[in-house]
Structures are given as C-alpha cells and as structure tokens.
Amino acid sequence: MSLNPADLIAMVENDAPEHHPSVDRRAEEAVVIEMERPVVPLTSWIADAIAVFGAERKAIQVMTPPTSRLTHPLWALLSGPGARWVVEDAERGYFDGVNGLPLEWDEKKGFRPVPQVAGSVAPVAGFQASPQSLAASATHVLVDLTVEHPASEDLVLGGAAETLASALTGDRPVGWSTNEPAVKAWDRRTVTDLCRKRAPKPSRLFVVGPHGAERPFIGPLTVKRTGAGLLETLSLAVAIPPGHAVPHDDLMHAVELLAAERLIRTMVVNTLPGRADLTYEPRWLGAPVPFGMAIGHSPVEEMGLEHAMSAPVPGIKLGPEDRTAVWYPLNETDPKRAFSSLQDLTFHLMQSTNRNIQNTPHT
C-alpha cells in the first residue's frame, strides 16, 4: 500500500523549476518541505518536488506540527521507502509521524532516527493511541487490485475502480486528478485519454468518492504498459464507520463482479484502525492486518483450479464458471495467524508459477 517516491518520477506532470520553491531545508541526500496546515494533502507542489528531487535520488521529507493530519495519499507516500513524515513538537522534539521514533538532523541524510542505546527502540511519549481511541476508531479497508488488459484501441480504463467502489461503498468515483485535491469530475474516457497521451510512460492519478459519504474512499490508480498490453493497479482505501464490521460479504461480491467483467488478476485486502475521514494523525494505531486475498480467472487457469483450491487457506469459488475467481479469507481473530496464513498462501500459489516457468521449453 505504500508509494515509493521514485515510482512517481515518470507519473506526475513536472513543470517545477530546478530549485523548487517549496523546499525549506536541504541535506546532501534529502530535502525537507515544511507544511503547517491542519490537513496536508499530496499537493501539486509536493508532487513536483518528488519528480525533481526523486530524479536525483534524494529522499522527500515533509515536516508538520503535531496538530497536522495527512491525507491518505500523502500518508501512504511518506510511509514508504525514501520518504519520511517529520513532526516538530515543542516538548518531544522531532519524531517520525509514522512510527514515532525520535529524529535528529544530519547534514547528509536529512532527518534520521536518533541512535538507540543497546538496541532499544522506543517511540516518543504519547505516540501510542489509548485503548479508548482504538475502540472508537473507524476501520480502513485497504484494497490492492491488479487488472491485466490486452492491448486494444477500444479499451476504456477505470471500470475496475467503478465496480470495486460501488460494491464496497454503494458509490462510484466522483472525482480524479494527478494530485490533491481531486477536482476533475470522474470520466473514464478522459482518464483513458490522459493515459494514452502519456504512453509509453506510466500514469498515476487519484480516484475519490463523494464528499460526506458514509464510507468515503480514495486511492491511486496506476496504468503502465506491459509486453501483453496494460496493467491497471488500484490501491483503494475505504473507511468503515466506528462500530461497523468489515464488509466481508461486500468484498466477496466485489470479487464476483470483477471476475464476471474480467477485471481482476489479484486482489489483496488489509485492514487498519484509523479516522473516519481517511486522514492520519501522528500517532500509532496499529499495523495493517491481512483480511483476504483473491486471484482472478487468468491465474486460476495458469496454475489449475485443483492447485488453487488445494491452498493452505480454504478458497471460495466466485464468478461465472468460465471466469472462475477464488477468494481466500484471512480474517482470523489472531493477527499473527493472518500474517502467517498469507505467507503460506502466497508460497503455495507461487510454487505453481515457478513450476510453470521451469517447465517452459527453452528455444
């Protein structure tokens, strides 16, 4: 679910000057952008800075006060490698807004974790959310969906985003943009035209749901060429209101619909406690926990239905007979068991892939 800044270099429109005006501090291998807004989105300035300095392999660090919150796209970006959320606090000093570790300034690396004594690594005081806060939090359902499209002049992108969002929230996307805010009205043909214009370079844009919805959603949609056609990747974050269960039936229904429309290769679902508005405060609510995984008709056909159904996690067949997908529920009560189950499942499915590669005749 985390975005690598280097991956965005070729995916954002870059009209930024060489010396970017949004950068407030520089190190040899990092740049720092200071933001004091209550809610900090992935603005065009930040996206442009990623393009400029990512090309130089410099880390992007965004500094905020402890009262700021990040939108999901920026939080996901700063949670990944080559990036950092720096929080400046009058009492606790500098610390990482994602993991809470104390930070110090380094002329080469920018802000880096303070060296710990005898291997002891601890977040700053007050970073861990209270049990009361966790109990009252919403649940973020993080869905990573991949779709393979054969090359076609008639292809219109965005169908998977519409189907998935509608099945999980009851709403279709209403807006999109290459950065935040997503002010352009959702239109699949306009999105397709943008991706074609940028080809053969990959494209990344953000898809959002209606404002004030019961289950808000947002996420990046990435499109890039492959040897066989196009790969469409959607990482959708959906907020489930506090006190409501993760919609397992809706997820299975989504897989069913996507399979019928040939709009799924793989789908991985994780859950994470969070705010109902899909913004993130600089405090620890927990790590993403695997909830389920699905594979579409193409992977099932490649490995064989018998192998797919003999996985260590019992699979559920979904979709039409000629486009069978398999859903593997991982929502055990013990998070550690969910992690180990996902590892075992992935290993089992990859065994078939590796065997097929080994059995392919060499010419």
Side-chain angles (χ1 to χ4, degrees):
M1 272 99 48
S2 297
L3 309 180
N4 188 336
D7 293 340
L8 289 177
I9 296 170
M11 300 181 184
V12 297
E13 295 171 319
N14 176 21
D15 298 318
E18 181 180 357
H19 301 290
H20 204 281
S22 69
V23 171
D24 298 283
R25 192 183 303 193
R26 299 171 188 247
E28 291 181 30
E29 299 178 5
V31 295
V32 180
I33 302 171
E34 297 181 8
M35 303 291 286
E36 294 188 2
R37 300 165 62 168
V39 177
V40 184
L42 180 55
T43 64
S44 59
W45 282 111
I46 295 177
D48 285 341
I50 290 169
V52 170
F53 298 102
E56 300 175 8
R57 299 299 172 184
K58 290 189 175 182
I60 303 298
Q61 301 182 347
V62 176
M63 180 190 295
T64 74
T67 52
S68 291
R69 307 193 310 271
L70 304 187
T71 62
H72 178 79
L74 183 57
W75 176 84
L77 171 70
L78 297 181
S79 300
R84 189 181 301 280
W85 179 9
V86 181
V87 179
E88 182 181 21
D89 186 272
E91 297 180 358
R92 295 175 290 179
Y94 297 106
F95 66 91
D96 190 304
V98 175
N99 58 37
L101 296 181
L103 302 175
E104 64 180 10
W105 176 254
D106 179 80
E107 291 295 337
K108 182 176 182 180
K109 298 291 184 180
F111 284 98
R112 67 174 186 179
V114 175
Q116 302 294 314
V117 179
S120 174
V121 179
V124 296
F127 188 73
Q128 175 70 48
S130 67
Q132 294 79 8
S133 296
L134 288 173
S137 68
T139 301
H140 293 180
V141 179
L142 311 176
V143 185
D144 290 301
L145 173 69
T146 63
V147 186
E148 285 186 335
H149 300 283
S152 170
E153 289 294 326
D154 300 326
L155 175 63
V156 180
L157 300 167
E162 287 189 350
T163 297
L164 180 61
S166 180
L168 295 185
T169 72
D171 295 307
R172 292 188 175 190
V174 297
W176 73 278
S177 184
T178 53
N179 48 63
E180 294 185 278
V183 296
K184 299 178 182 178
W186 173 253
D187 182 88
R188 290 177 57 191
R189 291 195 177 277
T190 305
V191 168
T192 303
D193 290 343
L194 172 75
C195 295
R196 282 182 175 156
K197 178 183 176 181
R198 290 183 171 182
K201 292 183 178 180
S203 294
R204 184 186 297 270
L205 54 100
F206 295 94
V207 178
V208 298
H211 179 72
E214 182 181 5
R215 295 181 181 179
F217 64 86
I218 189 171
L221 174 65
T222 302
V223 178
K224 60 182 177 180
R225 283 189 179 180
T226 66
L230 287 177
L231 178 66
E232 189 176 4
T233 304
L234 175 67
S235 296
L236 200 68
V238 180
I240 306 301
H244 291 237
V246 176
H248 193 177
D249 290 347
D250 291 346
L251 284 165
M252 289 198 298
H253 182 53
V255 173
E256 216 168 10
L257 294 175
L258 292 166
E261 299 171 13
R262 300 184 185 276
L263 291 176
I264 177 173
R265 179 169 180 86
T266 63
M267 189 173 92
V268 179
V269 182
N270 290 272
T271 61
L272 178 71
R275 291 175 54 94
D277 61 0
L278 284 174
T279 63
Y280 294 81
E281 299 169 314
R283 61 174 178 164
W284 179 253
L285 292 175
V289 177
F291 188 86
M293 178 179 178
I295 55 174
H297 174 66
S298 292
V300 170
E301 192 175 50
E302 291 164 8
M303 70 181 63
L305 181 59
E306 182 179 354
H307 185 82
M309 295 302 292
S310 66
V313 176
I316 302 171
K317 291 195 297 182
L318 297 170
E321 286 295 326
D322 62 338
R323 279 161 277 173
T324 299
V326 181
W327 166 255
Y328 303 98
L330 297 165
N331 52 320
E332 291 92 349
T333 55
D334 181 6
K336 292 182 180 179
R337 186 179 174 191
F339 282 109
S340 61
S341 295
L342 179 60
Q343 291 178 337
D344 294 342
L345 172 61
T346 304
F347 179 75
H348 175 84
L349 299 179
M350 289 298 295
Q351 274 186 317
S352 174
T353 303
N354 293 336
R355 185 168 61 248
N356 289 341
I357 293 174
Q358 292 172 359
N359 293 337
T360 300
H362 298 280
T363 58

